[in-house]
């Protein structure tokens, strides 16, 4: 039930997929909103703190997802899937993971550029190692922003593909990521 099989994703893959999706969209919205805050806003310090803390937790979940993906079988594609669809899906999934990691590591580089650590809620501090290159916060900030916009665009395409499979092709692609397998 927790592990994938050849026909469906397990509970672990489904829960971490949807949790990640919700968190990514929430962090994107929070990020877009918080860059417009003024110094006098009551959220000026709270919003970035939440963004960083949740982002670090998402990094942990993403690394777990990558490991889980390595040790679990992937359900087989539907018989009606074209070769180009399978390749496009593979490339899209790979790009999503790469963008997630780029965004999160760029976020860490932004936050630790001056040697300060990142406080994860009030639990512990992820240490800062100082700058690795000149203008680290600015360069990492640009990478963080453009990669985030690219990720959101890719997520829209990913969702459109899942809906196409469900409503037009009428296959079980989307259902594999919604229904928990029983075996």
């Amino acid at each position: 039930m927790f592990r994938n099989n050849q026909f469906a994703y397990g509970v672990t893959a489904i829960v971490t997929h949807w949790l990640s999706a919700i968190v990514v969209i929430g962090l994107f919205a929070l990020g877009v909103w918080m860059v417009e805050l003024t110094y006098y806003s009551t959220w000026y310090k709270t919003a970035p703190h939440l963004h960083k803390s949740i982002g670090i937790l998402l990094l942990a979940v993403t690394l777990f997802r990558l490991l889980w993906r390595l040790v679990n079988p992937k359900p087989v594609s539907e018989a009606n899937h074209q070769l180009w669809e399978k390749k496009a899906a593979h490339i899209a999934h790979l790009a999503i993971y790469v963008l997630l990691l780029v965004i999160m590591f760029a976020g860490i580089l932004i936050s630790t550029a001056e040697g300060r650590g990142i406080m994860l809620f009030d639990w512990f501090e992820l240490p800062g190692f100082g700058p690795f290159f000149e203008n680290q916060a600015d360069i990492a900030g640009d990478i963080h922003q453009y990669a985030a916009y690219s990720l959101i665009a890719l997520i829209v395409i990913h969702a459109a593909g899942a809906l196409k499979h469900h409503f037009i092709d009428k296959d079980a692609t989307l259902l594999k990521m919604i229904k928990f397998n029983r075996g």
Side-chain angles (χ1 to χ4, degrees), residues 1 4 14 85 147 160 167:
M1 180 167 155
N4 303 344
I14 292 170
E85 288 176 306
F167 292 108

Side-chain angles (χ1 to χ4, degrees), residues 109 113 131-142:
L109 289 175
F132 292 105
F133 50 89
E134 197 170 319
N135 298 321
Q136 178 174 310
D138 292 335
I139 294 167
D142 288 342

Side-chain angles (χ1 to χ4, degrees), residues 77-137:
S77 298
E78 298 297 308
N80 65 327
H81 288 183
Q82 302 295 319
L83 181 60
W84 70 267
E85 288 176 306
K86 293 176 189 177
K87 287 184 179 188
H90 177 74
I91 291 167
H93 285 109
L94 179 63
I96 286 171
Y97 281 114
V98 167
L99 285 168
L100 280 168
L101 293 172
V102 165
I103 290 164
M104 292 181 278
F105 283 112
I108 291 169
L109 289 175
I110 296 165
S111 299
T112 61
E114 294 178 5
R116 289 189 305 261
I118 302 171
M119 195 66 189
L120 183 68
F121 296 108
D122 288 325
W123 303 337
F124 65 90
E125 185 173 357
L126 186 71
F129 299 106
F132 292 105
F133 50 89
E134 197 170 319
N135 298 321
Q136 178 174 310

Side-chain angles (χ1 to χ4, degrees), residues 26-42:
L27 283 174
F28 180 78
L30 179 60
V32 168
W33 174 71
M34 76 181 190
V35 296
E36 299 299 324
L37 295 174
T38 67
Y39 180 78
Y40 300 103
S41 170
T42 56

